[in-house]
Amino acid sequence: MAARKACGGALMRPLTPKSPQWDIFCRVIDNFGDIGVSWRLARILAYDFGQPVRLWVDNVHALAQLEPAFFAQHRTADQTPTHAPIEVIPWTHPAPPILPAPFVIEAFGCTLPSDYQARMPGRTVAWFNLEYFSAEAWVEGCHALYSPEANGLAKQFVFPSTLPTAGGLLCETSLHPERERFMHDADERARWAAHWQIPLPQTQGLSLLLFGYENAALPLLIGELQALKAPPVTLYIPEGRLLSSAAQAVNQPKLVAGQTLALGNLTLHILPFLPQAQFDRLLWLCDINFVRGEDSLVRALWAGKPLIWQIYPTEDHAHWAKLNALLDSISHELSPESRAAWHRINHAWNQQTLSPGDWQRFISALPELSLHAERTRLTLRAQTELASWLVKTAFERLQCATN
Ligand code: TRH
């Protein structure tokens, strides 16, 4: 990576219906995080900034799971969604010979097709490499740096983060107002729950969302939830990788979406995989959110509820530093007891060795953690929003290029 580059004093151009086009490239490595982030970004650029977007994705099926309605509406005879503010391009090999856009986002270092790279000079004015989320201190120094590339262009690195001087977090303009409405309007929640067939938790109860990878600590967690005296506990587990651990924990051969189990004080609902915007609402509904990967972590931060993050594990164990950095970045205002309880439960869940004490200390700290999660949401909301940063930076580069 090389030094920062700037085009001093350039002003952002007003956005017009003829705004330039963005190409976002996404390779689905596994699960839903890569496409989850790319799809959110495409939607924000298209709907909040009025930007035409082409989303290149090598696994259209994964995207269709996140957004079934979009696919149903915009499908053509050749099965590719098109004629929408967002055009989805199946990233085949070889890639279709399409002229590069002025603004290009390479998600998570997915490496653009070589023919496309060769055609970028003279057409592309801003090329971003969107990195994975991190709150580690070094990202503040690396965010927005450029790296010279073989085609003569410079690629700029963008780091999503909770740290105030990095790239910020993706957030739709309507997200916080919609969340306010949803949280304060019982009728809206009831309509939503009826539409998506999600049984609502009891008003005075404790509700949890459990979205994660397989986890050997799940039986203990379920045991602790059953043992909680009043209030009644509602646990939602979405279809996916955690279901096999959950089935073992409740002595069932198998769990399927739509199933409800009454386990004493605990009611367990297995949910179908919801469209992305509805997944956000599930996080708003619950008092505690277990999340994983990257996009659901950011969404849990926006929910303003205490979260437990099962981080995507890496072979070199670098994920521990990343987990600690996130916890440190947003816990300095907590009392030492609550801070220790929150750090411990996150560590224990990731080590898959939860103890009853870890859970009980976390539950004792819950009132303070809940207030703190809401304060964190407001703090993060006041920081940079990632898509706005990209738009501003891209248009400054365009201004430089056309002057
Ligand atoms: O799926 P993830 O674990 O994703 C990833 C990938 O493993 C990726 O390769 C890795 O690099 C990254 O983590 C760090 O978790 P994540 O990021 O939370 O993505 C899940 C997406 O699925 C998110 O956009 C929310 C969405 N989702 C729904 O839309 N509906 C649902 O019902 C559920 C449970 C999730």
Side-chain angles (χ1 to χ4, degrees):
M1 244 185 263
R4 284 177 209 277
K5 257 175 146 181
C7 168
L11 290 172
M12 193 177 142
R13 276 190 169 194
L15 304 181
T16 68
K18 287 214 171 292
S19 290
Q21 194 149 24
W22 294 72
D23 274 336
I24 302 175
F25 284 84
C26 171
R27 234 181 252 291
V28 178
I29 307 292
D30 56 8
N31 306 317
F32 293 98
D34 308 280
I35 189 61
V37 172
S38 302
W39 180 244
R40 295 233 191 243
L41 176 56
R43 285 180 56 91
I44 297 174
L45 290 174
Y47 299 120
D48 289 359
F49 290 92
Q51 301 281 291
V53 177
R54 292 187 301 212
L55 175 59
W56 298 59
V57 56
D58 67 342
N59 181 346
V60 176
H61 176 71
L63 175 55
Q65 280 180 274
L66 292 180
E67 206 55 66
F70 176 86
F71 277 75
Q73 267 173 32
H74 300 292
R75 206 172 279 286
T76 57
D78 67 358
Q79 300 294 293
T80 306
T82 189
H83 302 308
I86 305 168
E87 185 184 355
V88 176
I89 301 186
W91 184 358
T92 49
H93 188 75
I98 294 173
L99 286 181
F103 304 147
V104 177
I105 297 172
E106 185 177 339
F108 313 120
C110 62
T111 309
L112 306 185
S114 49
D115 286 4
Y116 185 97
Q117 290 194 42
R119 289 193 295 264
M120 285 167 85
R123 293 195 176 86
T124 298
V125 291
W127 177 7
F128 301 102
N129 191 79
L130 177 62
E131 287 290 336
Y132 286 110
F133 168 91
S134 180
E136 292 161 285
W138 60 265
V139 304
E140 291 190 294
C142 292
H143 172 64
L145 292 190
Y146 288 86
S147 147
E149 298 298 312
N151 64 2
L153 301 186
K155 180 159 76 175
Q156 191 169 26
F157 285 76
V158 182
F159 285 89
S161 184
T162 43
L163 298 177
T165 57
L169 302 173
L170 285 177
C171 187
E172 300 81 358
T173 316
S174 61
L175 187 83
H176 294 284
E178 281 177 12
R179 173 188 169 280
E180 299 299 300
R181 255 202 329 274
F182 184 85
M183 290 184 61
H184 295 112
D185 185 341
D187 291 342
E188 180 174 335
R189 282 200 303 281
R191 278 194 301 276
W192 173 81
H195 182 87
W196 296 100
Q197 300 189 332
I198 296 172
L200 286 174
Q202 294 193 29
T203 328
Q204 297 307 321
L206 179 73
S207 51
L208 301 92
L209 169 68
L210 200 45
F211 178 46
Y213 310 117
E214 298 79 1
N215 197 318
L218 187 60
L220 192 129
L221 175 67
I222 290 189
E224 287 300 310
L225 292 174
Q226 283 180 274
L228 277 177
K229 296 287 174 273
V233 181
T234 305
L235 176 62
Y236 299 101
I237 305 187
E239 239 177 347
R241 291 181 55 179
L242 206 49
L243 273 202
S244 52
S245 318
Q248 273 178 8
V250 296
N251 294 320
Q252 296 282 319
K254 191 170 173 214
L255 291 172
V256 292
Q259 211 171 336
T260 290
L261 267 70
L263 304 162
N265 194 40
L266 168 68
T267 306
L268 169 62
H269 299 293
I270 309 300
L271 300 183
F273 197 86
L274 295 172
Q276 211 179 37
Q278 309 314 323
F279 175 70
D280 288 351
R281 283 163 176 73
L282 196 56
L283 295 161
W284 303 342
L285 186 72
C286 290
D287 302 308
I288 300 171
N289 290 312
F290 285 73
V291 285
R292 72 181 205 197
E294 169 153 347
D295 186 59
S296 58
L297 165 72
V298 173
R299 296 290 133 174
L301 290 166
W302 288 143
K305 307 290 186 70
L307 66 89
I308 296 164
W309 183 27
Q310 189 172 16
I311 189 167
Y312 185 79
T314 53
E315 275 173 18
D316 59 2
H317 298 285
H319 58 284
W320 289 109
K322 208 165 152 174
L323 172 67
N324 288 331
L326 180 269
L327 299 177
D328 288 342
S329 77
I330 55 175
S331 64
H332 36 264
E333 286 177 10
L334 284 170
S335 67
E337 299 74 31
S338 296
R339 187 174 189 280
W342 189 52
H343 278 235
R344 179 63 208 142
I345 190 94
N346 274 280
H347 278 231
W349 186 242
N350 280 281
Q351 287 158 345
Q352 306 190 27
T353 55
L354 199 63
S355 79
D358 296 333
W359 178 251
Q360 283 145 21
R361 278 187 287 277
F362 170 68
I363 288 293
S364 305
L366 199 55
E368 186 187 343
L369 289 170
S370 301
L371 291 173
H372 178 261
E374 173 59 6
R375 275 203 306 275
T376 302
R377 179 181 77 88
L378 296 174
T379 305
L380 295 174
R381 190 181 173 184
Q383 292 179 185
T384 309
E385 193 282 316
L386 181 55
S388 315
W389 186 89
L390 285 165
V391 170
K392 178 175 173 294
T393 308
F395 276 85
E396 283 173 356
R397 302 271 294 160
L398 183 65
Q399 194 92 42
C400 288
T402 50
N403 276 344

